[in-house]
């Protein structure tokens, strides 16, 4: 039910509602990833900072996105965090795998994918 509800919110251009639903269910990584997919980078970063998790994930995906577009970072929030943090993709991928495993254990495996 949650997956369908979240997807319909995104599809119907109500991403804030989708993110609120995910955060209420304690799916912080999913909320962040949803915002990343929608290119709502600052909002994803704000949620990561507020929850003290996945800041490196947001930074890493932002860096990959900009590199793919042959752009350099201009957003001061991201510039500042990049000065303070190195993105270790092994650590990021391990955190993501742990989040997915925790979701499966909590019964979210059927409700949320990827």
């Amino acid at each position: 039910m949650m997956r369908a509800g979240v997807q319909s919110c995104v599809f119907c251009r109500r991403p804030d509602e989708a993110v609120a639903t995910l955060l209420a269910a304690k799916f912080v990584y999913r909320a962040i990833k949803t915002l990343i997919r929608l290119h709502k980078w600052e909002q994803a970063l704000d949620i990561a900072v507020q929850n003290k998790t996945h800041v490196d994930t947001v930074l890493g995906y932002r860096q990959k996105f900009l590199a793919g577009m042959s752009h350099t970072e201009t957003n001061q929030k991201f510039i500042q965090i990049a000065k303070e943090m190195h993105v270790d993709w092994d650590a990021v991928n391990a955190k993501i795998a742990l989040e997915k495993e925790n979701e499966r254990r909590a019964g979210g495996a059927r409700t949320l994918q990827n």
Side-chain angles (χ1 to χ4, degrees), residues 57-84:
T57 304
V58 178
L59 181 62
Y61 278 111
R62 170 80 172 187
Q63 289 171 346
K64 278 187 174 186
F65 171 75
L66 291 174
M69 302 286 291
S70 299
H71 285 71
T72 57
E73 186 61 73
T74 58
N75 185 306
Q76 288 302 313
K77 283 183 179 181
F78 284 94
I79 291 170
Q80 184 60 40
I81 289 175
K83 288 179 185 177
E84 301 167 4

Side-chain angles (χ1 to χ4, degrees), residues 19-52:
V19 169
T21 300
L22 290 166
L23 290 174
K26 307 260 190 255
F27 289 119
V28 176
Y29 166 70
R30 294 297 173 180
I32 290 169
K33 187 67 176 183
T34 298
L35 292 167
I36 288 170
R37 287 182 176 155
L38 296 170
H39 302 279
K40 292 182 167 253
W41 298 103
E42 281 193 60
Q43 193 175 354
L45 183 61
D46 290 344
I47 289 171
V49 169
Q50 287 170 357
N51 287 278
K52 298 178 182 153

